Amino acid sequence: MLKRYIMIIIVYVLCQLSGFLALTPILSVVPKGQREGFMISLSFIVCLVLTLLILMPERHIKRPYMEPSTIVSWIIGGIFLVYLTQMVAGIIDYNLFGSPAQSQNTEDIMKLARQSPYIILSVVVIGPILEEIIFRKIIFGSLNRFMPFFFAAVISSLLFALAHADGHLIIYGSIGFALAFLYHKTKRIYVSMFAHGSLNAIATILALSPHVQKFLEQHQPSWIGWWF
């Protein structure tokens, strides 16, 4: 199991570093403005396929039984929990550090999405699946085997926040903690995947909405923002 997890982390890191290939002649057949988005999307798809193949031996692992209705309740409740966590953390972050309501990381991704709309698939679906496997299933799950939930969740959430390299440690860390809580309570990684993906979908809709953009330019509220 450890070897599989190390392999997945290596594949994920290589995926994150593959963007530089967009600057090489290898993508000369792709329009210049879309090369970065194309490379990111391609690398995420390859990373997801390899990750799922590596995890194949674990597909028969038994988990504690949970009623389907309970799972659905956790998924729906998890979406609200994560979004509420983001809002509260955003308010705390702004009042403590005066940080901007918007995430530079998200803005950069949205600029790419306007040039290469297909990158939205990576943001809303592939990215959340990979991040939940890496930060919740592998990192949090491994740490939680020999330390209490709280410490395992804090460490994995801090790594999750640092991986986004955005400076909003409180916001990303809080979101990571909420996702770890969902995974810990349900023992089902797809519950946190749904919550994570839904959060990113909401953030994408807000970030790409011209009406929201106009509202932010006029009012610049500290209580609204989007992060993924």
Side-chain angles (χ1 to χ4, degrees):
M1 181 180 291
L2 179 60
K3 290 182 179 179
R4 288 198 297 271
Y5 289 173
I6 292 175
M7 288 174 61
I8 290 173
I9 291 175
I10 292 174
V11 168
Y12 181 75
V13 171
L14 292 176
C15 167
Q16 298 296 313
L17 298 176
S18 64
F20 78 94
L21 292 176
L23 304 176
T24 66
I26 193 172
L27 291 181
S28 58
V29 295
V30 180
K32 189 174 182 179
Q34 296 189 27
R35 289 176 187 174
E36 187 175 0
F38 176 82
M39 193 63 238
I40 291 174
S41 299
L42 179 61
S43 64
F44 267 66
I45 292 172
V46 172
C47 182
L48 178 60
V49 171
L50 292 176
T51 297
L52 294 179
L53 288 174
I54 295 171
L55 286 175
M56 282 290 284
E58 296 188 19
R59 65 187 184 280
H60 298 306
I61 293 179
K62 292 184 179 180
R63 295 161 299 186
Y65 177 76
M66 183 177 288
E67 291 286 346
S69 58
T70 303
I71 295 175
V72 172
S73 298
W74 272 105
I75 290 174
I76 296 173
I79 294 172
F80 285 98
L81 171 66
V82 174
Y83 195 76
L84 179 62
T85 298
Q86 173 193 268
M87 291 184 64
V88 173
I91 294 172
I92 296 173
D93 189 61
Y94 181 82
N95 285 283
L96 286 180
F97 304 108
S99 301
Q102 287 74 47
S103 159
Q104 187 59 48
N105 176 63
T106 302
E107 290 182 4
D108 291 341
I109 294 175
M110 287 301 96
K111 287 179 182 178
L112 284 175
R114 292 183 182 96
Q115 296 176 333
S116 311
Y118 44 78
I119 201 175
I120 294 175
L121 177 65
S122 298
V123 172
V124 176
V125 179
I126 302 176
I129 292 175
L130 287 173
E131 289 185 349
E132 290 311 300
I133 290 174
I134 296 294
F135 294 100
R136 255 58 71 181
K137 178 178 176 62
I138 294 179
I139 297 178
F140 166 75
S142 298
L143 291 173
N144 196 213
R145 287 190 177 90
F146 61 88
M147 66 174 63
F149 161 78
F150 179 81
F151 296 106
V154 167
I155 294 173
S156 61
S157 299
L158 180 59
L159 293 174
F160 176 70
L162 292 173
H164 286 80
D166 201 331
H168 293 283
L169 293 181
I170 291 179
I171 297 173
Y172 282 110
S174 298
I175 292 171
F177 194 95
L179 291 168
F181 172 78
L182 292 175
Y183 177 52
H184 177 70
K185 284 295 185 179
T186 64
K187 302 297 186 293
R188 286 157 175 79
I189 194 64
Y190 57 81
V191 172
S192 60
M193 286 177 180
F194 268 107
H196 193 161
S198 298
L199 180 67
N200 284 15
I202 294 171
T204 300
I205 293 171
L206 290 176
L208 293 179
S209 170
H211 299 293
V212 174
Q213 291 290 347
K214 184 177 180 180
F215 177 79
L216 289 175
E217 290 173 1
Q218 293 177 347
H219 302 280
Q220 297 181 345
S222 61
W223 49 268
I224 188 171
W226 38 79
W227 297 267
F228 46 68

